[in-house]
Amino acid sequence: MVHVLSGRILLRPTDPERSRAFYGEQLGLAVHREFGTGPQRGTVYFLGGGFLEVSGQSDAAPSPAVRLWMQVEDVSAAYDELRAKGVEIVRPPVREPWGLIEMWIRDPDGTRIVLVEVPADHPMRYRPGS
């Protein structure tokens, strides 16, 4: 068995500065570290239990099969905040049949991001023995 100590998502955006503005300023992700210099420098953001690295540059947008899943405390508050910042809302918050509240947004390269709220009564919050 492989014992993973840390996880990271790596994005190679078509416009690194635009993507850094989106993830850092519009989404408000905290910077873990930066490396290199110039427009293609790397920026690593905190993602709760993992990291999102935006570095380098690609000539093509990512595959539509690539999607990011980010859990937030209050998806309705995130909706109001992101809408005010001009983030493209693909779908406003909806309680799904499986009990999660999900909202879909898109990054500057079209990567779909689902923001998820886990309600207090959802089984994902169940802690045996508590």
Side-chain angles (χ1 to χ4, degrees):
M1 174 192 292
V2 176
H3 294 280
V4 178
L5 300 177
S6 179
R8 179 173 299 177
I9 297 164
L10 174 62
L11 291 181
R12 298 258 190 247
T14 58
D15 183 335
E17 290 299 331
R18 182 180 67 178
S19 290
R20 272 191 284 281
F22 175 80
Y23 287 103
E25 296 167 24
Q26 289 185 291
L27 287 189
L29 298 181
V31 174
H32 170 62
R33 69 183 188 93
E34 294 186 292
F35 56 91
T37 59
Q40 293 185 30
R41 72 187 180 282
T43 304
V44 180
Y45 298 96
F46 283 108
L47 280 182
F51 301 97
L52 172 67
E53 179 179 324
V54 176
S55 64
Q57 187 170 2
S58 175
D59 294 332
S63 162
V66 174
R67 298 188 180 171
L68 303 179
W69 192 94
M70 297 180 189
Q71 185 176 338
V72 297
E73 189 173 348
D74 183 341
V75 77
S76 294
Y79 173 78
D80 293 338
E81 180 182 339
L82 296 176
R83 218 173 105 202
K85 291 181 177 181
V87 171
E88 180 185 356
I89 308 294
V90 175
R91 195 190 76 183
V94 173
R95 184 179 280 264
E96 300 291 356
W98 46 89
L100 299 176
I101 303 169
E102 297 184 3
M103 173 178 83
W104 287 85
I105 63 175
R106 205 183 304 265
D107 86 354
D109 279 327
T111 300
R112 292 182 82 146
I113 301 168
V114 61
L115 299 180
V116 177
E117 177 182 337
V118 181
D121 62 346
H122 194 276
M124 284 178 67
R125 291 201 182 236
Y126 173 71
R127 303 284 186 260
S130 56

